Amino acid sequence: MSAPHREHGMEDLCSAGTELYERALRQGRLSAEEAQAAPCLVDLGLLHPAVDEPIRLEPVAPVVALHRLLRTSEERIASERRREARLAETFGSLMRTAGPHPAVTDTPTIRLLTGTERINQAITEAMAEASEETASVQPRAGLTGERGQVADATAFGRDQAALDRGCRLRTLYPHTMRHFPTITARHERLKGDVEARSLDEVPDRLILVDRAVAFVPADKDGGLALEIRQPAIVDHLATTFDRLWRLATPMFPEAAPEPSPEGITARQRAIAALLTEGHTDAVIADRLGMNIRTARVHIAKLAATLGSQSRAQLGYLIGQSGILDQER
Protein backbone atom coordinates (compact mmCIF):
# COMPACT_ATOMS: atom_id res chain seq x y z
CA MET A 1 0.00 0.00 0.00
CA SER A 2 1.35 3.43 -0.96
CA ALA A 3 2.29 5.92 1.73
CA PRO A 4 -0.24 8.76 2.10
CA HIS A 5 0.56 11.86 0.09
CA ARG A 6 1.47 15.06 1.94
CA GLU A 7 1.71 18.66 0.79
CA HIS A 8 5.22 19.70 -0.18
CA GLY A 9 7.17 22.07 -2.43
CA MET A 10 6.87 21.99 -6.20
CA GLU A 11 10.51 20.90 -6.54
CA ASP A 12 10.29 18.05 -4.02
CA LEU A 13 9.37 14.39 -4.43
CA CYS A 14 7.68 12.79 -1.42
CA SER A 15 8.01 9.20 -0.26
CA ALA A 16 4.57 8.35 -1.66
CA GLY A 17 5.65 9.68 -5.04
CA THR A 18 8.91 7.76 -4.97
CA GLU A 19 7.11 4.52 -4.13
CA LEU A 20 4.51 5.06 -6.84
CA TYR A 21 7.16 5.94 -9.47
CA GLU A 22 9.06 2.73 -8.69
CA ARG A 23 5.85 0.76 -9.13
CA ALA A 24 5.22 2.47 -12.49
CA LEU A 25 8.71 1.43 -13.61
CA ARG A 26 8.01 -2.17 -12.65
CA GLN A 27 4.52 -2.32 -14.18
CA GLY A 28 5.15 -0.08 -17.17
CA ARG A 29 2.10 2.07 -16.54
CA LEU A 30 -0.46 3.10 -13.87
CA SER A 31 -4.14 3.92 -13.90
CA ALA A 32 -5.15 7.57 -13.51
CA GLU A 33 -6.79 6.63 -10.21
CA GLU A 34 -3.53 5.20 -8.86
CA ALA A 35 -1.62 8.29 -9.97
CA GLN A 36 -3.90 10.52 -7.88
CA ALA A 37 -2.10 9.20 -4.79
CA ALA A 38 0.98 11.26 -5.78
CA PRO A 39 0.07 14.26 -8.01
CA CYS A 40 3.66 15.49 -7.69
CA LEU A 41 4.72 12.82 -10.23
CA VAL A 42 2.59 14.45 -12.93
CA ASP A 43 3.67 17.95 -11.84
CA LEU A 44 7.33 16.95 -12.17
CA GLY A 45 6.71 15.29 -15.55
CA LEU A 46 7.65 11.81 -14.29
CA LEU A 47 4.31 10.40 -15.48
CA HIS A 48 2.49 11.19 -18.70
CA PRO A 49 -0.60 9.76 -20.50
CA ALA A 50 0.00 6.66 -22.61
CA VAL A 51 -0.46 7.30 -26.35
CA ASP A 52 -2.62 4.22 -26.91
CA GLU A 53 -4.57 4.51 -23.65
CA PRO A 54 -4.77 8.09 -22.26
CA ILE A 55 -6.53 6.99 -19.09
CA ARG A 56 -3.30 5.26 -18.07
CA LEU A 57 0.01 6.92 -17.27
CA GLU A 58 3.48 5.80 -18.25
CA PRO A 59 6.74 6.59 -16.43
CA VAL A 60 9.11 9.09 -18.03
CA ALA A 61 12.87 8.74 -17.67
CA PRO A 62 14.12 11.15 -14.98
CA VAL A 63 16.71 12.71 -17.33
CA VAL A 64 13.98 13.51 -19.87
CA ALA A 65 11.63 14.97 -17.24
CA LEU A 66 14.47 17.05 -15.77
CA HIS A 67 15.44 18.39 -19.20
CA ARG A 68 11.85 19.47 -19.88
CA LEU A 69 11.53 21.19 -16.51
CA LEU A 70 14.83 23.02 -16.89
CA ARG A 71 13.90 24.15 -20.38
CA THR A 72 10.60 25.53 -19.06
CA SER A 73 12.43 27.24 -16.21
CA GLU A 74 14.95 28.79 -18.62
CA GLU A 75 12.13 30.10 -20.80
CA ARG A 76 10.44 31.62 -17.76
CA ILE A 77 13.70 33.28 -16.65
CA ALA A 78 14.28 34.64 -20.15
CA SER A 79 10.73 36.00 -20.19
CA GLU A 80 11.27 37.72 -16.82
CA ARG A 81 14.51 39.26 -18.06
CA ARG A 82 12.75 40.62 -21.14
CA ARG A 83 10.05 42.03 -18.85
CA GLU A 84 12.70 43.65 -16.62
CA ALA A 85 14.30 45.24 -19.67
CA ARG A 86 10.96 46.65 -20.84
CA LEU A 87 10.18 48.01 -17.35
CA ALA A 88 13.63 49.58 -17.07
CA GLU A 89 13.15 51.25 -20.44
CA THR A 90 9.66 52.50 -19.50
CA PHE A 91 10.61 53.85 -16.09
CA GLY A 92 13.94 55.15 -17.37
CA SER A 93 12.16 57.63 -19.61
CA LEU A 94 9.89 58.64 -16.71
CA MET A 95 12.87 59.15 -14.38
CA ARG A 96 14.57 61.34 -16.95
CA THR A 97 11.38 63.37 -17.27
CA ALA A 98 10.79 63.68 -13.52
CA GLY A 99 14.41 64.40 -12.59
CA PRO A 100 14.83 66.05 -9.16
CA HIS A 101 11.28 67.41 -9.26
CA PRO A 102 10.19 68.56 -5.76
CA ALA A 103 6.76 66.96 -6.15
CA VAL A 104 8.32 63.52 -6.71
CA THR A 105 9.27 61.57 -3.56
CA ASP A 106 10.93 58.21 -3.04
CA THR A 107 8.40 57.14 -0.41
CA PRO A 108 4.62 57.18 -0.94
CA THR A 109 3.07 59.82 1.34
CA ILE A 110 -0.06 57.73 1.97
CA ARG A 111 -0.08 53.94 1.78
CA LEU A 112 -2.96 51.51 2.29
CA LEU A 113 -2.03 48.56 4.52
CA THR A 114 -4.06 45.37 4.28
CA GLY A 115 -4.36 42.77 7.07
CA THR A 116 -3.51 43.04 10.75
CA GLU A 117 -0.16 41.30 10.26
CA ARG A 118 0.98 43.82 7.64
CA ILE A 119 -0.37 46.73 9.71
CA ASN A 120 1.49 45.61 12.83
CA GLN A 121 4.65 45.03 10.82
CA ALA A 122 4.53 48.59 9.42
CA ILE A 123 3.92 50.06 12.89
CA THR A 124 6.79 48.02 14.33
CA GLU A 125 9.13 49.15 11.53
CA ALA A 126 8.20 52.80 12.05
CA MET A 127 8.61 52.59 15.83
CA ALA A 128 11.99 50.88 15.42
CA GLU A 129 13.21 54.17 13.95
CA ALA A 130 11.58 56.40 16.58
CA SER A 131 13.93 58.68 18.46
CA GLU A 132 11.63 61.18 20.18
CA GLU A 133 8.05 60.18 20.91
CA THR A 134 5.19 57.82 20.15
CA ALA A 135 1.71 59.21 20.82
CA SER A 136 -1.44 57.16 20.41
CA VAL A 137 -5.20 57.19 20.90
CA GLN A 138 -6.68 53.88 22.06
CA PRO A 139 -10.50 54.12 22.06
CA ARG A 140 -11.21 50.54 23.09
CA ALA A 141 -9.70 47.49 24.74
CA GLY A 142 -7.59 45.13 22.66
CA LEU A 143 -8.28 41.57 21.56
CA THR A 144 -8.91 38.84 24.10
CA GLY A 145 -7.68 35.25 24.19
CA GLU A 146 -4.49 33.89 22.67
CA ARG A 147 -4.59 36.25 19.68
CA GLY A 148 -4.91 39.21 22.03
CA GLN A 149 -1.96 38.03 24.13
CA VAL A 150 0.24 37.77 21.05
CA ALA A 151 -0.82 41.22 19.82
CA ASP A 152 -0.23 42.79 23.25
CA ALA A 153 3.18 41.13 23.57
CA THR A 154 4.17 42.56 20.18
CA ALA A 155 2.95 46.06 21.08
CA PHE A 156 4.57 45.91 24.51
CA GLY A 157 7.91 44.86 23.03
CA ARG A 158 8.05 47.69 20.51
CA ASP A 159 6.88 50.24 23.15
CA GLN A 160 9.59 49.17 25.59
CA ALA A 161 12.24 49.20 22.84
CA ALA A 162 11.31 52.80 22.00
CA LEU A 163 11.43 53.78 25.68
CA ASP A 164 14.86 52.14 26.03
CA ARG A 165 16.10 54.47 23.27
CA GLY A 166 14.92 57.47 25.29
CA CYS A 167 11.58 58.03 23.56
CA ARG A 168 8.50 59.39 25.29
CA LEU A 169 5.24 57.41 25.22
CA ARG A 170 1.86 59.16 25.53
CA THR A 171 -1.52 57.42 25.28
CA LEU A 172 -5.08 58.77 25.34
CA TYR A 173 -7.96 56.55 26.51
CA PRO A 174 -11.67 57.15 27.08
CA HIS A 175 -12.71 57.50 30.74
CA THR A 176 -14.38 54.08 30.52
CA MET A 177 -10.94 52.45 30.40
CA ARG A 178 -9.36 54.31 33.33
CA HIS A 179 -9.79 51.41 35.71
CA PHE A 180 -9.09 48.45 33.41
CA PRO A 181 -6.63 46.28 35.43
CA THR A 182 -4.83 45.16 32.25
CA ILE A 183 -4.18 48.75 31.17
CA THR A 184 -2.91 49.77 34.59
CA ALA A 185 -0.67 46.70 34.76
CA ARG A 186 0.70 47.34 31.29
CA HIS A 187 1.76 50.88 32.11
CA GLU A 188 3.33 49.77 35.38
CA ARG A 189 5.43 47.19 33.51
CA LEU A 190 6.75 49.70 31.00
CA LYS A 191 10.00 51.34 32.09
CA GLY A 192 10.68 54.88 30.93
CA ASP A 193 8.90 58.15 30.16
CA VAL A 194 5.31 56.85 30.04
CA GLU A 195 2.13 58.90 30.46
CA ALA A 196 -1.56 58.16 30.00
CA ARG A 197 -4.62 60.40 30.16
CA SER A 198 -8.33 59.99 29.53
CA LEU A 199 -11.25 61.93 28.07
CA ASP A 200 -15.02 61.56 27.98
CA GLU A 201 -14.78 60.67 24.31
CA VAL A 202 -11.78 60.13 22.05
CA PRO A 203 -11.47 59.82 18.25
CA ASP A 204 -10.74 56.55 16.53
CA ARG A 205 -7.39 54.81 16.89
CA LEU A 206 -4.33 56.87 16.03
CA ILE A 207 -0.60 56.19 16.31
CA LEU A 208 1.93 58.99 15.76
CA VAL A 209 5.65 58.27 15.55
CA ASP A 210 8.08 61.20 15.94
CA ARG A 211 5.44 63.49 14.40
CA ALA A 212 6.67 62.11 11.06
CA VAL A 213 4.38 59.14 10.37
CA ALA A 214 0.80 58.39 11.42
CA PHE A 215 -1.34 55.28 11.32
CA VAL A 216 -5.16 55.51 11.22
CA PRO A 217 -7.88 52.91 10.53
CA ALA A 218 -9.27 52.67 7.00
CA ASP A 219 -12.27 50.47 7.86
CA LYS A 220 -14.43 49.54 10.85
CA ASP A 221 -13.07 46.01 11.25
CA GLY A 222 -9.40 46.84 11.73
CA GLY A 223 -8.29 44.98 8.62
CA LEU A 224 -7.25 48.11 6.72
CA ALA A 225 -5.12 51.06 7.81
CA LEU A 226 -3.46 54.10 6.28
CA GLU A 227 0.22 54.82 6.78
CA ILE A 228 0.54 58.60 6.39
CA ARG A 229 3.83 60.39 5.80
CA GLN A 230 2.46 63.55 4.24
CA PRO A 231 3.89 66.29 6.52
CA ALA A 232 0.83 68.58 6.53
CA ILE A 233 -1.58 65.76 7.43
CA VAL A 234 0.72 64.31 10.09
CA ASP A 235 1.24 67.77 11.63
CA HIS A 236 -2.53 68.32 11.70
CA LEU A 237 -3.07 64.99 13.49
CA ALA A 238 -0.25 65.74 15.95
CA THR A 239 -1.71 69.18 16.75
CA THR A 240 -5.14 67.63 17.32
CA PHE A 241 -3.60 65.06 19.66
CA ASP A 242 -1.79 67.79 21.63
CA ARG A 243 -5.04 69.75 22.10
CA LEU A 244 -6.90 66.66 23.29
CA TRP A 245 -3.99 65.83 25.59
CA ARG A 246 -4.21 69.22 27.31
CA LEU A 247 -7.95 68.67 27.93
CA ALA A 248 -7.52 65.12 29.23
CA THR A 249 -7.41 63.91 32.85
CA PRO A 250 -4.14 62.27 33.99
CA MET A 251 -4.40 58.55 34.76
CA PHE A 252 -0.75 57.39 34.80
CA PRO A 253 1.72 57.69 36.48
CA GLU A 254 -0.37 59.92 38.79
CA ALA A 255 -4.12 59.59 38.43
CA ALA A 256 -6.20 62.72 38.98
CA PRO A 257 -9.77 62.21 40.20
CA GLU A 258 -12.52 62.53 37.61
CA PRO A 259 -14.58 65.69 38.27
CA SER A 260 -18.13 65.00 39.42
CA PRO A 261 -20.02 68.27 39.97
CA GLU A 262 -23.48 67.88 41.52
CA GLY A 263 -23.02 64.11 41.75
CA ILE A 264 -22.70 63.74 37.96
CA THR A 265 -19.57 61.89 36.93
CA ALA A 266 -17.54 62.83 33.87
CA ARG A 267 -18.69 59.62 32.22
CA GLN A 268 -22.35 60.45 32.85
CA ARG A 269 -21.82 63.99 31.57
CA ALA A 270 -20.43 62.55 28.34
CA ILE A 271 -23.49 60.32 28.06
CA ALA A 272 -25.74 63.30 28.76
CA ALA A 273 -24.16 65.25 25.91
CA LEU A 274 -24.78 62.39 23.48
CA LEU A 275 -28.34 61.94 24.74
CA THR A 276 -29.16 65.56 23.97
CA GLU A 277 -27.86 64.98 20.45
CA GLY A 278 -30.49 62.25 20.02
CA HIS A 279 -28.18 59.22 19.85
CA THR A 280 -29.41 55.72 20.65
CA ASP A 281 -28.00 53.63 23.50
CA ALA A 282 -26.02 51.54 21.01
CA VAL A 283 -24.38 54.59 19.42
CA ILE A 284 -23.59 56.08 22.83
CA ALA A 285 -21.95 52.83 23.94
CA ASP A 286 -19.85 52.65 20.78
CA ARG A 287 -18.79 56.30 20.94
CA LEU A 288 -17.67 55.97 24.55
CA GLY A 289 -16.03 52.55 24.23
CA MET A 290 -18.35 50.65 26.56
CA ASN A 291 -20.87 47.86 26.10
CA ILE A 292 -24.54 48.76 25.75
CA ARG A 293 -25.47 47.28 29.14
CA THR A 294 -22.99 49.55 30.93
CA ALA A 295 -24.25 52.55 28.95
CA ARG A 296 -27.83 51.83 30.03
CA VAL A 297 -26.77 51.50 33.69
CA HIS A 298 -25.20 54.98 33.53
CA ILE A 299 -28.26 56.40 31.77
CA ALA A 300 -30.44 54.99 34.54
CA LYS A 301 -28.17 56.52 37.23
CA LEU A 302 -28.23 59.85 35.41
CA ALA A 303 -32.03 59.74 35.22
CA ALA A 304 -32.26 58.92 38.93
CA THR A 305 -29.92 61.77 39.86
CA LEU A 306 -31.92 64.30 37.83
CA GLY A 307 -35.30 62.85 38.84
CA SER A 308 -36.35 61.91 35.32
CA GLN A 309 -39.29 59.60 34.66
CA SER A 310 -38.87 59.23 30.88
CA ARG A 311 -36.34 59.56 28.09
CA ALA A 312 -37.93 62.75 26.80
CA GLN A 313 -37.98 64.27 30.29
CA LEU A 314 -34.34 63.27 30.80
CA GLY A 315 -33.27 65.29 27.79
CA TYR A 316 -35.17 68.32 29.09
CA LEU A 317 -33.73 67.99 32.61
CA ILE A 318 -30.19 67.65 31.24
CA GLY A 319 -30.66 70.95 29.41
CA GLN A 320 -32.11 72.65 32.50
CA SER A 321 -29.47 71.32 34.90
CA GLY A 322 -26.58 73.15 33.26
CA ILE A 323 -24.25 70.15 33.69
CA LEU A 324 -23.14 70.41 30.07
CA ASP A 325 -22.08 74.03 30.56
CA GLN A 326 -19.67 73.28 33.37
CA GLU A 327 -16.00 73.32 32.50
CA ARG A 328 -13.90 70.28 33.17
Side-chain angles (χ1 to χ4, degrees):
M1 185 176 178
S2 299
H5 189 262
R6 60 176 179 80
E7 294 295 328
H8 56 76
M10 288 288 293
E11 297 78 18
D12 299 327
L13 182 62
C14 61
S15 58
T18 302
E19 181 181 336
L20 196 61
Y21 182 68
E22 291 173 352
R23 194 199 314 167
L25 290 175
R26 292 194 302 269
Q27 299 176 183
R29 58 181 58 186
L30 298 172
S31 68
E33 184 178 355
E34 289 177 298
Q36 288 178 358
C40 52
L41 290 177
V42 176
D43 294 338
L44 292 171
L46 289 168
L47 290 178
H48 71 171
V51 175
D52 59 341
E53 196 176 3
I55 63 171
R56 295 190 178 277
L57 302 175
E58 296 178 336
V60 177
V63 65
V64 174
L66 177 60
H67 176 71
R68 289 173 179 170
L69 286 173
L70 292 179
R71 185 174 60 191
T72 301
S73 178
E74 289 170 359
E75 291 173 353
R76 186 169 59 250
I77 293 171
S79 176
E80 284 298 313
R81 286 176 176 168
R82 288 193 296 269
R83 180 173 179 270
E84 290 174 3
R86 290 196 301 272
L87 286 172
E89 182 179 354
T90 299
F91 280 83
S93 62
L94 292 176
M95 287 187 284
R96 288 191 295 272
T97 301
H101 198 281
V104 178
T105 60
D106 294 333
T107 304
T109 55
I110 300 179
R111 182 170 56 145
L112 179 65
L113 304 172
T114 304
T116 54
E117 184 176 345
R118 181 69 191 94
I119 294 169
N120 283 325
Q121 179 184 353
I123 294 173
T124 300
E125 290 172 355
M127 288 188 62
E129 300 177 359
S131 59
E132 298 177 8
E133 178 188 65
T134 295
S136 63
V137 177
Q138 301 291 351
R140 55 187 61 86
L143 299 169
T144 58
E146 182 179 352
R147 185 181 172 196
Q149 292 174 358
V150 172
D152 185 65
T154 300
F156 183 88
R158 66 192 179 206
D159 285 351
Q160 187 58 63
L163 290 168
D164 291 342
R165 294 194 302 274
C167 293
R168 181 187 184 192
L169 188 67
R170 291 190 294 167
T171 309
L172 269 175
Y173 297 98
H175 284 325
T176 52
M177 296 172 64
R178 283 181 67 88
H179 305 296
F180 275 33
T182 54
I183 292 177
T184 302
R186 185 181 194 280
H187 283 79
E188 290 176 345
R189 285 169 56 211
L190 288 169
K191 306 301 180 185
D193 189 357
V194 183
E195 288 185 74
R197 295 185 181 184
S198 66
L199 280 170
D200 291 336
E201 185 179 358
V202 297
D204 211 339
R205 193 180 188 211
L206 166 68
I207 296 177
L208 287 160
V209 182
D210 279 356
R211 304 179 78 94
V213 55
F215 296 90
V216 298
D219 70 345
K220 293 183 179 181
D221 301 325
L224 297 174
L226 295 179
E227 178 186 294
I228 304 171
R229 294 180 181 270
Q230 209 288 329
I233 298 176
V234 175
D235 186 64
H236 174 80
L237 293 171
T239 300
T240 300
F241 179 90
D242 289 340
R243 290 175 179 173
L244 292 174
W245 183 260
R246 286 193 292 271
L247 295 171
T249 303
M251 58 181 281
F252 186 87
E254 296 294 331
E258 295 179 68
S260 55
E262 299 182 7
I264 305 296
T265 67
R267 186 179 308 180
Q268 290 168 1
R269 194 167 349 98
I271 290 174
L274 294 174
L275 281 170
T276 59
E277 294 175 9
H279 295 297
T280 64
D281 295 353
V283 171
I284 292 172
D286 182 67
R287 291 275 294 270
L288 297 180
M290 62 178 70
N291 63 54
I292 191 168
R293 182 181 301 176
T294 302
R296 286 171 176 164
V297 168
H298 284 292
I299 292 171
K301 289 180 179 178
L302 181 62
T305 301
L306 297 179
S308 172
Q309 301 299 317
S310 68
R311 186 80 167 221
Q313 186 185 23
L314 179 57
Y316 171 78
L317 291 175
I318 288 171
Q320 291 296 309
S321 68
I323 61 174
L324 300 182
D325 300 327
Q326 300 187 28
E327 297 292 333
R328 286 186 53 80

